[in-house]
Amino acid sequence: MLIKRITVGEIKVPLKVPFKTAVRTVTEVHDLVITIETDTGLVGYGEAPATAVITGDLMGSMRAALDLLAPRLLGRKLMDFNALLLMIQRSVIHHSSLKAALEIALYDLRARALGVPLYQLLGGGDPQLKTDITISVNDVDVMVKDALRAVAEGFDCLKVKVGGHTWQDDVDSVLAIERAVGPHVALRLDANQGWTAKHAVLVIQAIEKAGVALELVEQPVKADDVAGLKFVTEHTLTPVLADEAVFSTRDALHILTTGSADIVNIKLMKTGGISQAIEVASLARLHQRTCMVGCMLESAISVTAAAHFAVAFDDVVSYIDLDGPQLCASSAVDGGMRMNGPWITLPDAPGLGITAVHGLTHMKVFDV
């Protein structure tokens, strides 16, 4: 079974409401979609967002890197799988999102060729997950309104974006949301690198002293401030999650061995795909730590892949943040994961279970 054709295009899907964090405001999903086709007619799907402020990936840079990578995949045997993955990882540095899209498509193809859902190929598990949902940083009344709407839709875990205002505004927003939704709704905070270490400790301790039990606080300081991350971890009771600080297995090893965070956030777009995500999960298991599986602003293609990964590694994955498709006003994807409020159900179909992607533009085809 040989790789015969690679096609790349772009999708744009509007969001229900603007997505606002400490580092950016986004109104639509704009992602690269890759399909890889074999000479037997099987098609695998992959996807990558251009998240310049986090991964450094731009739409143009990803497409340029694909011009290098695609010809190296064409004509290769699909079942020379590890060699294909190594080629993708070693041919260019960085470009983690593009690598992830290519890997997702290859894993999708391999599972389709074997006639099993991807999570079964990765090790099996219960194909149902429960995700949180993001509450964007905003004026406090807007954040409370968004939180109440999410709870009415069935969500009992909210990921509250902070770090975009003063420390007192952050505290006031969290306390107002907790009063509005009640203590039965779990709250996770995500500062998106928006605080200094001392600032983070001030905010978290103020919330703790107010009697609000946070489930976790995600990436409170700059990605490269590992010492600051460790300071926050050591001076607060709330578990600290490393996100932007962990891209590679080397990053994860450093965070885990130094005790700089309690939890590691695995995102396929940071690790460069499923193969490296497996290594990060294995490191977490070795160090007896747990992980979150999260996503960028992505459609159901790559989020479905992340859900398959989370199912197969549920022994180390304790937190799910895969709300990307739920934030979209519509879907460009047929098949794949199904969402019912916070519940994600994976289809009992080969691979990702995706059958079509609509609305692709700026198409380019690489042929043998």
Side-chain angles (χ1 to χ4, degrees):
M1 188 180 298
L2 303 178
I3 295 174
K4 172 186 176 182
R5 181 177 296 112
I6 298 173
T7 304
V8 60
E10 298 174 26
I11 56 169
K12 289 186 178 181
V13 182
L15 299 175
K16 295 175 183 175
V17 297
F19 182 85
K20 299 181 180 180
T21 74
V23 295
R24 61 176 180 152
T25 297
V26 183
T27 59
E28 65 181 5
V29 168
H30 181 194
D31 288 3
L32 198 72
V33 174
I34 294 172
T35 60
I36 302 179
E37 184 178 347
T38 69
D39 58 354
T40 62
L42 289 179
V43 177
Y45 294 89
E47 176 190 8
T51 317
V53 73
I54 298 174
T55 64
D57 292 307
L58 300 168
M59 194 62 68
S61 65
M62 289 193 293
R63 296 187 74 116
L66 185 62
D67 288 344
L68 169 71
L69 287 167
R72 298 185 182 187
L73 287 167
L74 292 172
R76 300 284 296 272
K77 295 178 181 178
L78 175 63
M79 290 309 173
D80 287 342
F81 198 68
N82 286 345
L84 296 178
L85 299 181
L86 284 172
M87 186 279 292
I88 290 169
Q89 295 299 328
R90 293 176 177 176
S91 290
V92 294
I93 63 170
H94 308 308
H95 294 289
S96 60
S97 297
L98 175 66
K99 291 176 181 178
L102 288 168
E103 276 210 1
I104 289 167
L106 288 175
Y107 272 94
D108 186 18
L109 269 179
R110 189 182 186 201
R112 288 175 191 261
L114 296 173
V116 297
L118 178 56
Y119 72 88
Q120 290 185 6
L121 176 68
L122 296 175
D126 180 359
Q128 190 171 65
L129 300 165
K130 196 175 186 182
T131 183
D132 62 13
I133 193 166
T134 300
I135 306 300
S136 288
V137 63
N138 243 315
D139 293 338
V140 62
D141 57 333
V142 176
M143 295 180 74
V144 168
K145 181 181 177 182
D146 290 344
L148 289 171
R149 180 170 55 246
V151 172
E153 292 173 354
F155 289 88
D156 59 6
C157 184
L158 307 180
K159 181 177 178 178
V160 181
K161 296 290 187 179
V162 289
H165 298 305
T166 68
W167 76 268
Q168 189 62 60
D169 287 335
D170 286 332
V171 172
D172 291 345
S173 295
V174 174
L175 297 186
I177 289 171
E178 196 271 345
R179 286 193 300 268
V181 301
H184 63 286
V185 176
L187 299 181
R188 303 169 178 174
L189 303 190
D190 185 3
N192 287 109
Q193 312 176 66
W195 296 330
T196 65
K198 289 183 178 180
H199 184 174
V201 170
L202 179 67
V203 173
I204 297 166
Q205 288 185 350
I207 294 170
E208 290 173 345
K209 289 176 182 177
V212 177
L214 299 173
E215 189 173 65
L216 57 85
V217 175
E218 182 173 349
Q219 198 60 49
V221 298
K222 295 294 184 184
D224 59 358
D225 186 10
V226 177
L229 188 66
K230 185 174 182 180
F231 180 86
V232 178
T233 301
E234 293 177 340
H235 289 83
T236 57
L237 297 175
T238 301
V240 174
L241 169 67
D243 180 12
E244 289 92 338
V246 178
F247 274 64
S248 66
T249 52
R250 181 177 296 177
D251 294 337
L253 183 62
H254 183 56
I255 293 292
L256 293 167
T257 55
T258 59
S260 298
D262 302 294
I263 314 162
V264 170
N265 194 353
I266 298 174
K267 293 178 179 175
L268 301 184
M269 298 304 133
K270 292 188 305 167
T271 62
I274 294 172
S275 67
Q276 302 304 299
I278 291 171
E279 293 194 9
V280 174
S282 299
L283 283 173
R285 183 188 295 116
L286 179 65
H287 288 84
Q288 299 182 328
R289 301 292 180 85
T290 59
C291 299
M292 172 183 280
V293 170
C295 63
M296 307 294 189
L297 278 178
E298 306 162 38
S299 83
I301 302 170
S302 51
V303 178
T304 295
H308 278 273
F309 169 79
V311 163
F313 289 85
D314 64 350
D315 64 314
V316 291
V317 176
S318 299
Y319 308 93
I320 303 297
D321 176 36
L322 296 177
D323 61 345
Q326 185 73 28
L327 303 177
C328 294
S330 59
S331 177
V333 179
D334 292 343
M337 60 187 280
R338 300 189 303 275
M339 296 197 74
N340 181 16
W343 290 102
I344 295 171
T345 303
L346 297 177
D348 186 23
L352 298 176
I354 290 169
T355 57
V357 180
H358 305 286
L360 289 169
T361 61
H362 300 91
M363 303 288 289
K364 184 174 182 178
V365 178
F366 302 86
D367 278 309
V368 173

